[in-house]
Amino acid sequence: MIKWLTFEVITLAQINIDKNNIRYNFFTTSPVMNSFEDLTETLRKQLQNDRQRLHYEKEVMIEDLWNIEKDFLLELPTEDYPIFKEVEAKVNKFNEAKIDSTLIHIPKASNYPFIYFVLYWDKFKAVSPDGEILLEDFRSYMNKKRAIPWVSIFKDWIRKPRVVPYSRYQKYLPGRVNDYLMVDDLVVRKERLLELVNLLVTHDMKRINEEFYDLISGKNENPFGLDWSEYDSLAPLERGE
């Protein structure tokens, strides 16, 4: 069971955890990491291995000292102490607000003059002035993949279909879906956005792109609006035709 060091029994001077020593031993160069969880696990193993040496002053194995000290530890609380910061953020007309120098798309955020970010060290919550949680996700520096809220984005595009080619999300559209929406006729573009929003209720974007011709062609035999007769006219004629 994980326990907490009690300062009444063991003073900081007695604890064999020297921040400078750890830094000099394990961080002589910047660590290469895939994630904070990976770095934590690597450091945990290094510290465990470091117990297998004599204490610099007591000349006793650090592992033996640790086993003695464990009897004087108290249990950690069952619930984490809530450590967070709350900040107010403005929302632009595209349902976006900035956190950690990164614009985050937050569904329904433009319905409010401002929102609040509740910031934890690894995650955040976007909260309306009424207390509704609009979004929960990892902070950008955690390097976690963030799902793109396509339904919310498409609904914004439906109101302003002209902005699709200029949106910062356009580059994330998969190939067939992107080509399907790049039609010049804004009325047709709006109709196609509505169609895709309906499909997103039961399909994710990857599946829509992979099964594009099955899902889209059922309502529109020519989803890209191509005039196939122009292509046919370029083909060489068979004898007898």
Side-chain angles (χ1 to χ4, degrees), residues 16-212:
N16 187 47
I17 299 179
D18 182 339
K19 290 188 292 184
N20 289 328
N21 187 44
I22 292 175
R23 183 177 65 189
Y24 295 146
N25 287 343
F26 305 126
F27 295 100
T28 52
T29 59
S30 298
V32 177
M33 53 183 278
N34 297 320
S35 65
F36 285 101
E37 292 83 1
D38 178 65
L39 178 62
T40 299
E41 179 62 18
T42 299
L43 185 58
R44 183 186 69 82
K45 291 179 180 179
Q46 288 178 329
L47 290 171
Q48 281 186 333
N49 294 335
D50 191 54
R51 297 177 194 167
Q52 308 306 316
R53 62 179 175 85
L54 292 176
H55 189 276
Y56 72 96
E57 180 180 350
K58 298 182 179 181
E59 297 186 352
V60 179
M61 292 292 291
I62 294 176
E63 180 72 29
D64 295 335
L65 293 174
W66 167 243
N67 289 330
I68 294 172
E69 290 180 350
K70 284 195 295 187
D71 294 334
F72 299 96
L73 306 183
L74 298 177
E75 294 181 8
L76 284 170
T78 56
E79 295 184 7
D80 292 336
Y81 183 79
I83 301 175
F84 63 90
K85 179 172 68 174
E86 186 178 289
V87 297
E88 184 179 310
K90 294 182 179 180
V91 181
N92 65 24
K93 59 184 178 181
F94 303 113
N95 280 321
E96 297 172 332
K98 184 172 288 189
I99 173 178
D100 300 324
S101 301
T102 303
L103 281 174
I104 305 294
H105 189 278
I106 303 168
K108 301 190 296 182
S110 61
N111 295 341
Y112 307 96
F114 62 89
I115 61 170
Y116 294 102
F117 279 125
V118 180
L119 305 177
Y120 303 90
W121 77 269
D122 58 340
K123 297 181 179 181
F124 72 88
K125 293 180 183 178
V127 184
S128 75
D130 302 326
E132 178 186 0
I133 298 177
L134 305 175
L135 180 68
E136 294 184 70
D137 209 335
F138 288 97
R139 297 181 70 167
S140 59
Y141 55 71
M142 293 297 294
N143 296 319
K144 299 286 187 179
K145 289 185 178 180
R146 181 178 292 113
I148 299 177
W150 286 117
V151 172
S152 177
I153 292 169
F154 278 16
K155 287 181 178 179
D156 289 341
W157 288 353
I158 288 169
R159 290 193 292 270
K160 297 180 179 179
R162 192 182 302 275
V163 307
V164 175
Y166 311 104
S167 170
R168 69 189 187 92
Y169 297 102
Q170 184 263 336
K171 64 183 178 181
Y172 298 112
L173 288 169
R176 296 185 182 120
V177 175
N178 179 72
D179 293 341
Y180 187 54
L181 293 178
M182 289 302 103
V183 61
D184 292 331
D185 190 322
L186 297 182
V187 175
V188 175
R189 183 182 292 170
K190 183 174 182 179
E191 292 174 351
R192 293 181 176 185
L193 285 166
L194 285 166
E195 183 181 7
L196 288 167
V197 167
N198 291 330
L199 283 173
L200 284 167
V201 174
T202 53
H203 305 74
D204 60 31
M205 185 63 77
K206 181 180 179 182
R207 183 179 173 190
I208 291 174
N209 187 64
E210 291 174 346
E211 303 178 16
F212 181 82

Side-chain angles (χ1 to χ4, degrees), residues 211-238:
E211 303 178 16
F212 181 82
Y213 297 104
D214 294 330
L215 296 172
I216 300 293
S217 298
K219 297 181 180 179
N220 185 351
E221 295 182 0
N222 187 0
F224 294 111
L226 297 174
D227 184 357
W228 294 113
S229 63
E230 294 184 9
Y231 288 87
D232 293 339
S233 66
L234 299 175
L237 295 176
E238 297 283 343

